[in-house]
Amino acid sequence: MASKAFAVIAGVGPGTGAACARRFASAYPVALLARNPENYESLVQEINKNGGKAIGISTDVSKEDSVKAAFKKIEEEYSGATCAAAIFNASGPFARKPLLEMSVESFAKSWEVSVQGALIFSQASLPHLLKHAEDSSAKYPPTLIFTGATASVKANAQMSGFAAPKFALRALSTSIAKEFAPKGVHVAHAVIDGVIDIPRTKDWLKDMPAEAKIGADDIAESYWNLHLQSKRCFTNEIDIRPMLEKW
Amino acid sequence: MASKAFAVIAGVGPGTGAACARRFASAYPVALLARNPENYESLVQEINKNGGKAIGISTDVSKEDSVKAAFKKIEEEYSGATCAAAIFNASGPFARKPLLEMSVESFAKSWEVSVQGALIFSQASLPHLLKHAEDSSAKYPPTLIFTGATASVKANAQMSGFAAPKFALRALSTSIAKEFAPKGVHVAHAVIDGVIDIPRTKDWLKDMPAEAKIGADDIAESYWNLHLQSKRCFTNEIDIRPMLEKW
Amino acid sequence: MASKAFAVIAGVGPGTGAACARRFASAYPVALLARNPENYESLVQEINKNGGKAIGISTDVSKEDSVKAAFKKIEEEYSGATCAAAIFNASGPFARKPLLEMSVESFAKSWEVSVQGALIFSQASLPHLLKHAEDSSAKYPPTLIFTGATASVKANAQMSGFAAPKFALRALSTSIAKEFAPKGVHVAHAVIDGVIDIPRTKDWLKDMPAEAKIGADDIAESYWNLHLQSKRCFTNEIDIRPMLEKW
Amino acid sequence: MASKAFAVIAGVGPGTGAACARRFASAYPVALLARNPENYESLVQEINKNGGKAIGISTDVSKEDSVKAAFKKIEEEYSGATCAAAIFNASGPFARKPLLEMSVESFAKSWEVSVQGALIFSQASLPHLLKHAEDSSAKYPPTLIFTGATASVKANAQMSGFAAPKFALRALSTSIAKEFAPKGVHVAHAVIDGVIDIPRTKDWLKDMPAEAKIGADDIAESYWNLHLQSKRCFTNEIDIRPMLEKW
């Protein structure tokens, strides 16, 4: 890779975030953001041990100051590098709740992480993505990816605390895509429509074959393939399901 | 009307809100909520003078306390009445803004009014709507209507501050519709796709015929017709355009 | 009604078509098209006996000649009248079929009725609708309505023989709406998302309350309300569900 | 590649079809279907000369007999092989036409190629795709891809002859995806939203940079990446735009 570039991933947990970290670390130094350092510490070690380069930064994506501080640290650590890929994988909780029992606070909190967080992350990463777009030695167009869910396109009963922010995130992604594509930034939204196979979902669908769940590594590979697309072929939305998903 | 019932309209300004107030006041006593009393004062007078019954309550829909206080006042004024119709017409501002110039505060503010406000208003009105559903003398199923916009289904460049909340509002509406329809509440979302003909838009499209803009009274009539639908025929979404709209 | 106008309904059976015939016959002379005269004979009698005016014409909507002949007859019977409303309610069969067992012929047949039929009917009725738009004594804008289904927006497994034409019909409706709205014709598409309560579905959902099915008369009332909308407020799509529908 | 497998591409012209032929020929023997042999002859030569394996078969995809004959020839040529990938790239013409000037014949013709053709091609290829799904030595899940367009999701005025079939094709693709995913076949639909850079479009957008058009090779690469997805990560729809597309 001729250009000096990094990738940044917000919302690094044991699933999609970690898988993206590993996948993008095979090509770029990575910065991993999560509120809880436990979520990235061993992963940072693993990547650095395996010949990659990673840093972890404790960040609350819903807070502008926290994200700005994180990017300041990235700029110091990866001084002079542009941003090849930024992945927003943070999300408010998936939680079913009768409408009349949902607290306004929890509804607001879900928005703050999923949507306000996505805005703050985009505003922080776009200047670096734009620099990558202007770098003629860059191998691939800079890519900004947002992780959505079934609830990005389907609002079920008792799911508004999750679906309202996810619908909003999809709108944000599309709006940014339209504004920044002409400047060379590839923005994409992924509708992850199914259960991701992670430790937390171990007991879900456990009488079903492995193909009933989505592989986190497979999501990461699909995100990587979005990154490889040329300026003459930007995909702005993909959906992802396991083979056995009903939809 | 055998049952004692009221209608409540949040977001009463000079356009859709006022038109709905007049239309629903022909059948029900109405409660009009707006932050600024100027927005409802003359309208309240007009309705009361013309043989209807109206009260106005200064309310910040984005604040739970404010909405709760408003409904307490409604319960006092229309004591013992159930809610036949609740219309949420409040909205953050329609504002074009390059993403990197948009403040996180203004983005959050737009959400607070358009989406958090809709949640708070729904939580306050649904218990009264449910009582109407249980009232066998009620003439029509209780109706909860949310006013959306082009941006509810289309997220253009530089419009995320408006589109993200509007997408979210649509998800909220659908989720509430699915949860409360089986309990007899009719929930609908309206995609208002065009310029409404109000004093503020007087100079927009002014070289075009009247059919280039949406009539606020016509929107109110369409909302009223949603209210008339039977339990065997709930429309959960309508779009509305003037004859000359390009879409 | 100052203007001399008629309404035409294609696809008159015992459900939506008959209900529309009755509803629109309360305001306009109606022409009822169905392949099988049994589907309209008693209805024509009923309307004429009750003070309305109706004619029935045996028509195969999938054949251009047949529809042209039907409109020639309408022009003779309702000489000098313009078309206030045209409703296309014909449809290929709702049939579940494994893809590899579906015959190309049945797939084509479903298309011919649902989509080609809709095109032919539109081409035949639009000149009359346009005349109504130009008639300054017309009470309401001329209205062209297409009946869709759940399958208009959702393509389930083994349902492509029904869903493919229904998706196509929705596209046709939107395209016509965009072309003819500026000329004053109101075009609308209805997503009928549930079981309509007709003799054929008597045994469906029979352990459920009446609110589990859609009332055909209620659909007709909603179509009528679409017809009443002004040029400053065209709704181009509605969905319709019974209160107890899961969606 | 352990398994003996072929890829088949219907609708091979100078753009997407040829690019897919080249891309998939790097991994599989290919069968290229087009009505006019001129569309594949030099391409077949090119692939065979470059170390790949290709056959061309003159086929009218809208005719069941013609497609069956083509697959019979494929079975002879690639005897014992299963189908790793089938790409349906045929389409009725993109043509703007006022509704009242469109002939029913041209409307029907567009459907026959775009939708009936897709059904016939699917019915012919699915048995071979299913065999590939059962072949434990197959490297990737068998993939069936349909090429859509802007008109698959947007029905503009005067475009119904193109949009109605494209909406229908999308429904067909989704329905097949849901039926055959549990059997291991990956079905995907691509919304190609922009002008593809081919000889025929040379003069379109010619004052614009190269990034105003979609690269046919880039589409083929995206299709290839769909093919690589695992059973735990099927993408059923992608959109594709050039960087400078307005949408």
Side-chain angles (χ1 to χ4, degrees):
Chain A
M1 187 109 344
S3 63
K4 206 173 153 191
F6 68 92
V8 55
I9 295 137
V12 173
T16 306
C20 288
R22 288 188 189 93
R23 186 63 189 86
F24 283 77
S26 73
Y28 303 109
V30 294
L32 311 185
L33 316 187
R35 203 147 70 148
N36 187 345
E38 275 179 38
N39 276 330
Y40 56 72
E41 275 167 354
S42 63
L43 182 62
V44 164
Q45 281 190 316
E46 176 197 319
I47 290 171
N48 285 323
K49 206 172 73 182
N50 293 341
K53 169 87 185 108
I55 56 170
I57 307 168
S58 171
T59 313
D60 179 347
V61 291
S62 69
K63 301 275 185 292
E64 200 170 4
D65 286 351
S66 180
V67 175
K68 281 186 170 168
F71 273 80
K72 197 156 186 300
K73 195 154 178 196
I74 295 173
E75 286 156 30
E76 287 162 14
E77 290 280 340
Y78 300 144
S79 172
T82 60
C83 183
I87 297 173
F88 185 79
N89 189 53
S91 182
F94 176 90
R96 191 172 298 275
K97 196 90 182 176
L99 189 90
L100 297 179
E101 295 171 20
M102 183 165 56
S103 75
V104 175
E105 288 68 28
S106 70
F107 188 75
K109 191 70 205 157
S110 183
W111 160 268
E112 276 167 30
V113 175
S114 293
V115 195
Q116 183 168 301
L119 171 70
I120 294 171
F121 179 76
S122 300
Q123 289 184 328
S125 59
L126 274 162
H128 300 276
L129 291 160
L130 287 167
K131 275 186 201 137
H132 196 74
E134 284 158 15
D135 178 355
S136 58
S137 70
K139 201 159 173 189
Y140 308 114
T143 311
L144 172 59
I145 302 178
F146 299 95
T147 300
T150 311
S152 303
V153 291
K154 201 169 172 183
N156 285 335
Q158 305 194 7
M159 289 300 297
S160 65
F162 190 63
K166 285 297 187 192
F167 267 62
L169 175 65
R170 189 172 179 240
L172 179 66
S173 173
T174 302
S175 181
I176 299 176
K178 290 180 181 175
E179 184 175 350
F180 289 91
K183 297 169 183 167
V185 181
H186 178 188
V187 181
H189 177 258
V191 177
I192 309 296
D193 187 19
V195 174
I196 305 173
D197 193 358
I198 52 175
R200 188 168 55 84
T201 62
K202 196 165 57 94
D203 290 340
W204 302 15
L205 308 171
K206 72 177 170 185
D207 300 330
M208 300 275 288
E211 290 82 9
K213 290 185 190 167
I214 304 172
D217 290 348
D218 298 303
I219 297 175
E221 191 64 27
S222 293
Y223 283 15
W224 178 254
N225 282 331
L226 287 172
H227 179 53
L228 301 192
Q229 287 187 311
S230 89
K231 292 179 187 177
R232 285 155 64 85
C233 184
F234 280 173
T235 288
N236 298 113
E237 187 162 87
I238 56 170
D239 50 13
I240 285 178
R241 297 179 182 86
M243 180 181 126
L244 296 176
E245 186 69 19
K246 294 254 177 278
W247 56 292
Chain B
M1 187 111 341
S3 63
K4 208 174 152 192
F6 67 91
V8 55
I9 295 137
V12 173
T16 307
C20 288
R22 287 188 190 95
R23 185 65 189 85
F24 283 76
S26 73
Y28 304 108
V30 294
L32 312 184
L33 315 188
R35 204 148 68 148
N36 187 344
E38 276 180 38
N39 276 330
Y40 56 71
E41 275 168 353
S42 63
L43 182 60
V44 164
Q45 282 191 315
E46 177 197 318
I47 291 172
N48 286 323
K49 206 172 72 182
N50 292 340
K53 168 88 184 109
I55 56 171
I57 308 167
S58 173
T59 314
D60 179 348
V61 292
S62 70
K63 300 275 184 293
E64 202 171 3
D65 287 350
S66 180
V67 175
K68 281 185 170 169
F71 273 79
K72 198 155 184 300
K73 193 153 179 197
I74 294 172
E75 287 157 28
E76 288 162 13
E77 292 279 340
Y78 300 144
S79 172
T82 59
C83 184
I87 298 174
F88 186 78
N89 189 53
S91 181
F94 176 90
R96 190 173 298 276
K97 196 92 181 175
L99 189 92
L100 298 178
E101 294 171 23
M102 184 165 54
S103 75
V104 175
E105 287 70 27
S106 70
F107 188 76
K109 190 70 204 158
S110 183
W111 161 268
E112 276 166 30
V113 175
S114 293
V115 195
Q116 182 167 300
L119 171 70
I120 294 171
F121 178 76
S122 300
Q123 290 184 328
S125 59
L126 274 163
H128 300 276
L129 291 160
L130 288 167
K131 275 185 202 139
H132 196 75
E134 286 158 14
D135 178 355
S136 59
S137 69
K139 201 159 172 189
Y140 308 114
T143 312
L144 172 59
I145 302 178
F146 299 95
T147 299
T150 310
S152 303
V153 291
K154 200 169 173 183
N156 285 334
Q158 304 193 8
M159 289 300 298
S160 64
F162 189 64
K166 285 296 187 191
F167 268 62
L169 175 65
R170 190 172 177 239
L172 179 65
S173 174
T174 301
S175 180
I176 299 177
K178 289 179 182 176
E179 183 175 351
F180 289 91
K183 297 171 183 166
V185 182
H186 178 187
V187 181
H189 177 257
V191 177
I192 309 296
D193 187 18
V195 175
I196 305 174
D197 193 358
I198 50 173
R200 189 170 52 86
T201 62
K202 196 166 56 96
D203 290 341
W204 302 15
L205 308 171
K206 72 177 170 185
D207 301 330
M208 301 275 287
E211 290 82 10
K213 290 184 190 167
I214 304 173
D217 290 347
D218 298 304
I219 296 176
E221 192 63 26
S222 294
Y223 283 16
W224 177 254
N225 282 331
L226 288 171
H227 178 52
L228 301 192
Q229 287 186 312
S230 89
K231 292 179 188 177
R232 284 156 64 85
C233 183
F234 281 174
T235 288
N236 298 115
E237 187 162 86
I238 56 170
D239 50 14
I240 285 179
R241 296 177 184 87
M243 180 180 125
L244 297 175
E245 187 69 19
K246 295 253 178 277
W247 54 292
Chain C
M1 188 109 343
S3 62
K4 207 174 153 191
F6 67 90
V8 55
I9 294 136
V12 173
T16 306
C20 289
R22 287 188 190 95
R23 185 63 187 87
F24 283 77
S26 72
Y28 304 108
V30 295
L32 312 184
L33 316 186
R35 204 146 69 148
N36 187 344
E38 275 179 39
N39 275 330
Y40 56 71
E41 275 167 354
S42 62
L43 183 61
V44 164
Q45 282 190 316
E46 176 197 319
I47 290 172
N48 286 322
K49 206 174 71 183
N50 293 341
K53 168 88 185 107
I55 56 171
I57 308 167
S58 172
T59 313
D60 179 347
V61 293
S62 69
K63 300 276 184 294
E64 202 171 2
D65 287 350
S66 180
V67 175
K68 280 184 171 169
F71 272 80
K72 198 156 186 301
K73 195 155 178 196
I74 295 173
E75 286 157 29
E76 288 160 13
E77 291 278 341
Y78 300 144
S79 172
T82 60
C83 184
I87 297 174
F88 186 79
N89 189 53
S91 181
F94 176 90
R96 190 172 298 275
K97 196 93 182 173
L99 190 91
L100 297 178
E101 295 171 21
M102 184 165 55
S103 76
V104 175
E105 288 69 27
S106 69
F107 189 75
K109 190 71 203 157
S110 183
W111 160 269
E112 276 167 29
V113 175
S114 292
V115 195
Q116 182 168 300
L119 171 71
I120 294 170
F121 179 76
S122 300
Q123 289 184 329
S125 60
L126 274 162
H128 300 277
L129 291 161
L130 287 167
K131 274 185 202 137
H132 196 74
E134 284 158 16
D135 179 354
S136 58
S137 69
K139 201 157 173 191
Y140 308 115
T143 311
L144 173 58
I145 302 178
F146 300 94
T147 300
T150 310
S152 303
V153 291
K154 200 168 171 182
N156 286 334
Q158 304 194 7
M159 289 300 298
S160 64
F162 189 63
K166 284 297 187 192
F167 267 62
L169 175 64
R170 189 171 178 240
L172 179 65
S173 174
T174 301
S175 180
I176 299 177
K178 290 179 181 175
E179 183 175 351
F180 289 91
K183 297 169 183 167
V185 182
H186 178 187
V187 181
H189 177 259
V191 178
I192 309 295
D193 187 18
V195 175
I196 305 174
D197 193 359
I198 51 174
R200 188 169 54 83
T201 62
K202 197 165 56 94
D203 289 341
W204 303 14
L205 308 171
K206 70 177 170 186
D207 300 331
M208 301 275 288
E211 290 81 9
K213 290 185 189 167
I214 304 173
D217 290 347
D218 298 303
I219 296 176
E221 191 64 27
S222 294
Y223 283 16
W224 178 254
N225 282 331
L226 288 171
H227 178 52
L228 302 192
Q229 287 187 312
S230 90
K231 293 179 186 176
R232 286 156 61 85
C233 184
F234 280 174
T235 288
N236 298 114
E237 187 162 85
I238 56 170
D239 50 13
I240 284 179
R241 296 177 183 87
M243 181 181 125
L244 296 176
E245 186 70 17
K246 295 254 177 277
W247 55 293
Chain D
M1 187 108 345
S3 63
K4 205 173 155 190
F6 67 91
V8 55
I9 294 136
V12 173
T16 307
C20 288
R22 288 187 189 95
R23 185 64 189 87
F24 283 77
S26 73
Y28 304 108
V30 294
L32 312 184
L33 315 187
R35 204 147 70 146
N36 187 344
E38 275 180 37
N39 276 330
Y40 57 71
E41 276 168 352
S42 63
L43 182 61
V44 164
Q45 282 192 317
E46 176 197 318
I47 290 171
N48 286 322
K49 206 173 71 184
N50 292 342
K53 169 87 184 109
I55 56 171
I57 307 168
S58 172
T59 313
D60 180 347
V61 291
S62 68
K63 301 274 184 294
E64 202 171 1
D65 287 352
S66 180
V67 175
K68 280 184 171 169
F71 273 80
K72 198 158 185 300
K73 195 156 179 195
I74 294 172
E75 287 157 29
E76 287 162 13
E77 291 279 341
Y78 300 144
S79 172
T82 60
C83 184
I87 297 173
F88 185 79
N89 188 54
S91 181
F94 175 90
R96 190 173 297 276
K97 196 90 180 176
L99 189 91
L100 297 178
E101 295 171 21
M102 184 165 54
S103 75
V104 175
E105 288 69 28
S106 70
F107 188 75
K109 191 71 205 157
S110 183
W111 159 268
E112 277 167 29
V113 175
S114 293
V115 194
Q116 183 167 300
L119 171 70
I120 294 170
F121 179 76
S122 300
Q123 290 184 328
S125 59
L126 274 162
H128 300 276
L129 291 160
L130 287 166
K131 275 186 201 137
H132 196 74
E134 285 157 16
D135 178 355
S136 59
S137 69
K139 200 158 174 191
Y140 308 114
T143 310
L144 172 59
I145 302 178
F146 299 95
T147 299
T150 311
S152 304
V153 290
K154 200 169 172 183
N156 285 334
Q158 305 194 6
M159 290 300 297
S160 64
F162 190 62
K166 285 297 188 192
F167 268 62
L169 176 65
R170 189 171 179 240
L172 180 65
S173 173
T174 301
S175 180
I176 300 177
K178 290 179 182 176
E179 183 175 351
F180 289 92
K183 297 170 182 167
V185 181
H186 178 187
V187 181
H189 177 259
V191 177
I192 309 295
D193 187 17
V195 175
I196 305 173
D197 194 359
I198 51 175
R200 187 170 55 85
T201 62
K202 196 166 56 95
D203 291 340
W204 303 15
L205 307 172
K206 71 176 170 185
D207 300 331
M208 300 276 287
E211 289 82 10
K213 290 184 189 167
I214 304 172
D217 290 348
D218 299 302
I219 296 175
E221 191 64 27
S222 294
Y223 283 15
W224 178 253
N225 282 331
L226 287 171
H227 179 52
L228 302 191
Q229 287 186 312
S230 89
K231 292 178 189 178
R232 286 156 61 85
C233 184
F234 280 174
T235 287
N236 297 115
E237 186 162 88
I238 56 170
D239 50 14
I240 285 179
R241 298 179 181 85
M243 180 180 125
L244 296 175
E245 186 69 18
K246 294 255 177 276
W247 56 293

mmCIF file of all heavy atoms in Angstrom, chain D residues 52 77 236:
data_model
loop_
_atom_site.group_PDB
_atom_site.id
_atom_site.type_symbol
_atom_site.label_atom_id
_atom_site.label_comp_id
_atom_site.label_asym_id
_atom_site.label_seq_id
_atom_site.Cartn_x
_atom_site.Cartn_y
_atom_site.Cartn_z
ATOM 1 N N GLY D 52 -9.354 -19.955 -20.988
ATOM 2 C CA GLY D 52 -10.632 -20.324 -20.381
ATOM 3 C C GLY D 52 -11.385 -21.278 -21.289
ATOM 4 O O GLY D 52 -10.838 -21.768 -22.282
ATOM 5 N N GLU D 77 -22.211 -30.388 -23.425
ATOM 6 C CA GLU D 77 -20.858 -29.816 -23.475
ATOM 7 C C GLU D 77 -20.136 -29.942 -22.138
ATOM 8 O O GLU D 77 -18.941 -30.199 -22.075
ATOM 9 C CB GLU D 77 -20.929 -28.340 -23.871
ATOM 10 C CG GLU D 77 -21.356 -28.107 -25.303
ATOM 11 C CD GLU D 77 -20.196 -28.286 -26.303
ATOM 12 O OE1 GLU D 77 -19.022 -28.225 -25.866
ATOM 13 O OE2 GLU D 77 -20.482 -28.495 -27.488
ATOM 14 N N ASN D 236 -28.841 -10.443 -0.622
ATOM 15 C CA ASN D 236 -29.901 -10.678 -1.616
ATOM 16 C C ASN D 236 -30.159 -9.475 -2.512
ATOM 17 O O ASN D 236 -30.845 -9.588 -3.514
ATOM 18 C CB ASN D 236 -31.192 -11.097 -0.917
ATOM 19 C CG ASN D 236 -31.051 -12.399 -0.173
ATOM 20 O OD1 ASN D 236 -31.151 -12.456 1.048
ATOM 21 N ND2 ASN D 236 -30.759 -13.460 -0.901
#
